[in-house]
Amino acid sequence: SFIFVAAFLGYSIGTAPLVSYHYGAGNREELKNLFRKSLVIIGLLSVVLTALGEGLAGPLARLFVGYDDALCGMTVRAFILYSFSYLLAGVNIYGSSFFTALNDGLVSATISFARTFAFQIAAVLLLPSLMPEGMQLDGIWLSVTAAELASLCVTVWFLVCKRRRYRSA
């Protein structure tokens, strides 16, 4: 999973100096342009990584647990379910990095903490008990996607509430 998420991290960390530069220089049009293009790139990358995750679930599972058919089958299902989190993770990772680049560490930390700790713990504890009988294990794997969805709401909320900061001159 970290290998897939590393693509989002790399892009987000790589664009942060550009965001900071344009923000500091007051180049709001270029900042908006960079933000818009980044969302498109993150969106495309999200779809590609999700497709790769689902497509490579079998080969990757066999690579690590091919010695046990039952475990391999469970791992394939887990990775396919987990792969849906990549559709949402990119925006959350980019959002946190974007606010760091805007010198708003509190918002960045809030997004990151909510995404990687608070929402994941809540989802792991709640989702399996809400799943139908026999699908509780799926709830564990889908909890990451649920946490990313909750984090996406927080990220979008901050982007909307603080848009004047990066949109106006």
Side-chain angles (χ1 to χ4, degrees):
S1 174
F2 189 76
I3 292 170
F4 284 78
V5 171
F8 297 128
L9 290 169
Y11 182 82
S12 298
I13 291 168
T15 58
L18 296 172
V19 170
S20 289
Y21 173 80
H22 291 299
Y23 177 69
N27 299 332
R28 296 304 190 258
E29 284 305 313
E30 189 56 36
L31 186 59
K32 284 191 291 187
N33 185 39
L34 178 60
F35 180 75
R36 226 174 296 134
K37 285 180 181 176
S38 291
L39 288 182
V40 169
I41 290 169
I42 291 291
L44 292 172
L45 190 57
S46 296
V47 170
V48 168
L49 290 176
T50 301
L52 280 172
E54 291 191 16
L56 294 175
L60 288 172
R62 281 189 292 283
L63 178 68
F64 291 101
V65 293
Y67 57 86
D68 185 327
D69 288 339
L71 181 58
C72 190
M74 185 184 341
T75 303
V76 168
R77 180 161 177 81
F79 201 76
I80 287 171
L81 292 173
Y82 190 96
S83 292
F84 287 111
S85 69
Y86 303 135
L87 288 172
L88 308 168
V91 174
N92 295 325
I93 291 168
Y94 183 76
S96 178
S97 178
F98 184 75
F99 282 108
T100 297
L102 295 179
N103 199 30
D104 197 338
L106 181 61
V107 170
S108 175
T110 300
I111 293 169
S112 185
F113 178 79
R115 178 183 168 267
T116 60
F117 188 73
F119 291 144
Q120 282 192 15
I121 287 175
V124 165
L125 293 175
L126 293 174
L127 202 55
S129 64
L130 298 174
M131 298 296 284
E133 184 68 32
M135 294 182 65
Q136 287 85 12
L137 189 57
D138 288 352
I140 299 236
W141 303 119
L142 289 171
S143 65
V144 175
T145 303
E148 292 291 357
L149 182 59
S151 299
L152 182 64
C153 293
V154 171
T155 301
V156 169
W157 185 78
F158 278 124
L159 287 169
V160 169
C161 289
K162 296 190 171 260
R163 69 182 172 268
R164 288 187 190 159
R165 183 149 189 214
Y166 58 92
R167 288 197 166 190
S168 60

